[in-house]
Amino acid sequence: MSTIEMKNISKIYQNGTTKTYALKDIQFKADNGNFITITGPSGAGKSTFLEIIGGLLTPTSGKLLINHHSYQNLNKKEKEKFRLNTLGFILQSYNLLPYLKVEEQFQLVHKVKKDNNVGPKLWKWIVDELGIQKLNQQYPDELSGGQKQRVAIARALYTNPQIILADEPTASLDSARAFKVMKMFKQLAQKDNKLIIVVTHDLRLTQFADQHYQIIDGQITKA
Amino acid sequence: MFLAIKEMKHSKFRYGLIITVIVLIAYLIFVLTGLAYGLAESNRQAIDSWNANQVVLNSDADGALQQSTITSNQAKQIKSQPGQAQIGQISVNAQKKNQKTSASMVGINSNQFIYQNVNIIQGRKFKHQNEVIVDQSMVQNNGYHLGDHFKVSNNSPTFKIVGITKNAKLNVAPVIYSSMGDFRKVKFGSRNVNNISAVIMKHNLKQGKINGLEKISIQQMIQKIPGYSAQNSTFIFMIGFLLLITVIIIAIFLYILTMQKIPYFAVLKVQGIATKYLVKNVIGQSLLITILGIIISGILTGLTAMIIPSAVPIIFNYPLIFGAAGLIILMSIIGSIIPTRSIMKIDPAKAIGGN
Ligand SMILES: Nc1ncnc2c1ncn2[C@@H]1O[C@H](COP(=O)(O)OP(=O)(O)OP(=O)(O)O)[C@@H](O)[C@H]1O
Ligand SMILES: [Mg+2]
């Protein structure tokens, strides 16, 4: 069982005297087995929301519970461990190390997490769904933007995380590819009982989600 | 090490450059170490070969063998004990067919331990007047042979080389061992002057103060060899400076590379890859760079040792070279501290949102 629960979470960025209220008193709860999409205008607070769930940012106020345990109480090392074992992050950029071939990107993950990674059958399915079978020997700068993004998705899934957080994972994919990725996420949520949260600009992608939320001006509402 | 090796393979030119720099610095360090050791050896070799503890000199000589004269009356005050050897020392120019070779003539008595312990590698010890033993470097570098005759000044006797010894250099000049009488003839113009330069003591002299004389340790006398300690401190300074340069170069290079990789490292941290893993890779990279550099410069040093003329006073002493290599490796670890700190400071939150 994996659940995420946010209680009265606010995040204020302070730059000198200017304060940005990125998130305002967020109440949010999500269980595993769900595929959730989040949309909203640029600057609304979507990335901030994901960073807080991922433990990369500390909220200014409020409580984050993961599997009913307070997340803020973990130390740096425990957070590192949690990110490695439980979370899969797909980021907007800089996902791939420029000096590793595609297959070495996966090997690196394997070096630091040897156990409980995806089994060969599931891995083959993921690689096929993403259409990256033939890219193993390429370096990132030999890949198109969309190929890079698909490799990054595969790498995040390699550790078989229970919770997957993705920030614009389909931004540089054509809609057919993007739809395919969404369907894959949906299946992973259903069959492997994962919790998947995807932030996207593309409203058409929300049709694949079990639940859809909007973040506008730092406030979240179920749509 | 996975990341370290993959990155070095991918960016061969970059890492090739830095390894080249390390090769050159390490090579310079090795050569200087060899030169420092070689010069120090050729200053003191002969003294070391006597295996002695103490020396009695004229107190006005201030510890310098070259400046010491002990009269026979003074010498008589020194109580005899086992393991004493009188020496007379003078710097000379050996002359053979217009060719001059600076040498250090050392007069010794055939009934004392220095004469008895001279290590002859060719020929025999001197027995008669005007026979001498010379250091093998005169054979290797100056064209002298067993049986050759030479003078040390226009009116000096003609000496005959009857024996060759090795490891006998004093103040960077080959030693010519002669009888005390021959030495006196050269230094004072007469065999009947009974002066000597010093008395070498195998064991510490069991006697207090002696008027006009002083006893000092052999080490103290070596420090007073003209130029010896100045030379050593110059070399130590240069080598120390090169080690410092190594730290700085490694630190700057790895720091710049690390700064370029910060966004990627941030992403790796987001993915839960431990900071420790990234730090280990940077230190590993720094070690790889220096170890590769040291191996290559070690090969270069070996080649240098093979082709360098024997007249160059360079001796590659393994413990010293390994010590220097160890110091270079230590420097590379110190050099990776700064980039390591910047990795520890990377905030994974900076990786998200594309900014
Ligand atoms: N490190 C920061 N310091 C100060 N303000 C920040 C920082 N990061 C984000 N903000 C501000 O917080 C607000 C929310 O930013 P966030 O990145 O969460 O938006 P977003 O919804 O992800 O936007 P986009 O769709 O463009 O990625 C914005 O007004 C942004 O300017
Ligand atoms: Mg964003």
Side-chain angles (χ1 to χ4, degrees):
Chain A
M1 268 298 275
S2 295
T3 61
I4 290 175
E5 196 172 353
M6 285 177 152
K7 285 182 173 167
N8 310 94
I9 292 255
S10 294
K11 178 69 189 177
I12 303 169
Y13 288 110
Q14 184 139 22
N15 263 344
T17 50
T18 52
K19 285 184 177 181
T20 311
Y21 291 80
L23 292 178
K24 297 169 190 164
D25 202 24
I26 299 275
Q27 314 291 341
F28 177 79
K29 189 166 185 292
D31 288 317
N32 57 336
N34 282 300
F35 175 28
I36 296 169
T37 52
I38 294 174
T39 55
S42 182
K46 304 184 296 293
S47 294
T48 305
F49 178 82
L50 283 189
E51 284 170 60
I52 286 176
I53 295 178
L56 305 176
L57 271 187
T58 324
T60 312
S61 62
K63 240 183 163 177
L64 174 68
L65 299 175
I66 299 213
N67 301 338
H68 310 292
H69 294 290
S70 168
Y71 188 67
Q72 278 110 310
N73 295 342
L74 300 184
N75 66 28
K76 224 172 166 175
K77 242 192 177 145
E78 288 167 328
K79 282 182 184 170
E80 252 171 16
K81 224 172 187 172
F82 168 75
R83 288 203 296 271
L84 182 65
N85 294 325
T86 314
L87 276 190
F89 256 110
I90 302 160
L91 308 175
Q92 275 177 310
S93 60
Y94 291 116
N95 273 296
L96 304 175
L97 278 176
Y99 48 86
L100 293 186
K101 290 176 187 168
V102 168
E103 65 175 6
E104 291 166 348
Q105 310 273 349
F106 306 135
Q107 281 166 18
L108 171 64
V109 180
H110 194 86
K111 294 259 168 209
V112 290
K113 181 170 182 270
K114 298 217 157 44
D115 306 312
N116 301 322
N117 293 322
V118 282
K121 220 173 122 191
L122 183 54
W123 181 242
K124 189 178 180 308
W125 179 74
I126 291 169
V127 167
D128 286 345
E129 284 298 298
L130 292 168
I132 56 168
Q133 310 87 327
K134 293 195 178 110
L135 306 180
N136 268 338
Q137 297 305 316
Q138 321 259 73
Y139 284 101
D141 60 6
E142 299 162 348
L143 301 177
S144 72
Q147 286 172 328
K148 270 187 238 183
Q149 213 155 26
R150 283 181 275 146
V151 172
I153 294 171
R155 189 179 66 170
L157 297 176
Y158 186 89
T159 53
N160 205 11
Q162 289 172 290
I163 302 170
I164 294 159
L165 305 175
D167 203 346
E168 302 280 3
T170 59
S172 36
L173 299 182
D174 60 63
S175 49
R177 275 283 177 207
F179 286 2
K180 216 168 171 195
V181 169
M182 289 300 128
K183 281 181 193 152
M184 183 183 80
F185 282 156
K186 190 176 175 108
Q187 276 204 44
L188 281 171
Q190 281 174 354
K191 285 196 189 150
D192 289 286
N193 212 23
K194 295 183 191 302
L195 170 57
I196 302 180
I197 302 177
V198 170
V199 164
T200 176
H201 273 111
D202 191 345
L203 283 171
R204 292 172 307 163
L205 301 182
T206 60
Q207 57 177 301
F208 300 97
D210 301 312
Q211 295 161 39
H212 172 55
Y213 290 86
Q214 270 186 316
I215 296 182
I216 297 172
D217 208 9
Q219 287 177 314
I220 193 163
T221 47
K222 197 160 183 172
Chain B
M1 281 304 243
F2 177 77
L3 274 184
I5 293 169
K6 293 287 173 198
E7 186 185 4
M8 290 174 74
K9 273 192 180 162
H10 186 252
S11 314
K12 288 192 189 71
F13 182 69
R14 249 180 218 192
Y15 285 91
L17 276 183
I18 181 74
I19 289 172
T20 308
V21 173
I22 299 299
V23 166
L24 294 177
I25 294 181
Y27 178 70
L28 199 51
I29 289 177
F30 290 161
V31 168
L32 284 178
T33 308
L35 207 53
Y37 184 73
L39 271 174
E41 277 292 288
S42 57
N43 263 311
R44 56 185 288 174
Q45 247 180 6
I47 300 176
D48 287 339
S49 75
W50 301 337
N51 245 322
N53 262 351
Q54 260 190 349
V55 57
V56 178
L57 299 167
N58 187 309
S59 48
D60 294 331
D62 192 28
L65 175 63
Q66 281 77 3
Q67 265 129 57
S68 174
T69 300
I70 297 178
T71 62
S72 59
N73 280 339
Q74 285 174 318
K76 278 178 198 144
Q77 297 175 54
I78 303 171
K79 287 199 185 117
S80 93
Q81 69 177 52
Q84 283 181 343
Q86 298 187 331
I87 59 168
Q89 192 274 340
I90 179 172
S91 295
V92 294
N93 280 314
Q95 312 181 356
K96 197 182 78 169
K97 293 181 200 142
N98 294 332
Q99 179 212 346
K100 288 184 180 174
T101 303
S102 27
S104 181
M105 188 165 198
V106 177
I108 49 180
N109 294 320
S110 56
N111 60 347
Q112 291 182 324
F113 77 86
I114 294 180
Y115 177 87
Q116 282 152 7
N117 296 345
V118 169
N119 178 13
I120 297 291
I121 57 172
Q122 211 190 339
R124 57 169 175 83
K125 293 182 187 178
F126 58 78
K127 283 183 192 147
H128 309 290
Q129 204 168 299
N130 297 341
E131 288 183 346
V132 295
I133 305 166
V134 302
D135 180 56
Q136 64 174 350
S137 67
M138 280 182 77
V139 177
Q140 286 165 348
N141 306 331
N142 308 108
Y144 285 81
H145 301 284
L146 197 65
D148 278 2
H149 292 83
F150 67 90
K151 289 181 145 202
V152 296
S153 67
N154 286 339
N155 46 10
S156 90
T158 299
F159 295 108
K160 181 182 181 198
I161 301 177
V162 297
I164 313 281
T165 182
K166 65 173 182 180
N167 297 338
K169 280 197 160 186
L170 188 59
N171 199 9
V172 207
V175 165
I176 300 170
Y177 283 117
S178 71
S179 69
M180 202 55 103
D182 288 345
F183 155 75
R184 285 169 177 147
K185 179 87 181 124
V186 171
K187 177 141 186 183
F188 307 107
S190 158
R191 295 176 198 280
N192 299 324
V193 179
N194 284 325
N195 292 349
I196 56 170
S197 300
V199 183
I200 305 293
M201 317 289 305
K202 240 186 170 17
H203 315 288
N204 288 353
L205 181 63
K206 297 183 196 78
Q207 189 180 357
K209 251 181 99 54
I210 311 166
N211 248 347
L213 301 181
E214 69 170 339
K215 49 178 187 177
I216 60 172
S217 73
I218 286 286
Q219 285 311 315
Q220 281 171 303
M221 181 175 77
I222 288 172
Q223 293 303 325
K224 289 286 170 127
I225 293 174
Y228 179 79
S229 39
Q231 244 167 35
N232 282 347
S233 33
T234 306
F235 278 116
I236 289 170
F237 176 79
M238 284 196 286
I239 292 169
F241 212 78
L242 284 170
L243 288 172
L244 187 67
I245 291 176
T246 312
V247 178
I248 294 171
I249 286 179
I250 295 264
I252 293 177
F253 180 77
L254 289 179
Y255 179 70
I256 292 173
L257 284 193
T258 303
M259 292 321 261
Q260 289 176 343
K261 288 183 291 195
I262 278 182
Y264 299 104
F265 283 161
V267 168
L268 293 179
K269 281 193 172 187
V270 167
Q271 260 130 13
I273 291 182
T275 305
K276 215 171 87 186
Y277 182 83
L278 301 175
V279 164
K280 270 196 213 158
N281 268 288
V282 169
I283 296 175
Q285 230 167 27
S286 152
L287 283 177
L288 270 179
I289 290 170
T290 36
I291 289 172
L292 278 174
I294 285 172
I295 290 174
I296 298 172
S297 58
I299 294 171
L300 286 181
T301 309
L303 291 177
T304 310
M306 276 160 61
I307 58 168
I308 205 154
S310 61
V312 179
I314 205 165
I315 299 175
F316 294 108
N317 169 276
Y318 283 116
L320 267 186
I321 295 285
F322 281 119
L327 280 179
I328 298 172
I329 291 172
L330 181 69
M331 295 305 119
S332 77
I333 294 173
I334 295 175
S336 53
I337 288 175
I338 294 172
T340 293
R341 277 172 51 91
S342 52
I343 289 179
M344 295 204 270
K345 279 197 230 142
I346 296 173
D347 178 5
K350 295 267 156 35
I352 298 209
N355 42 35

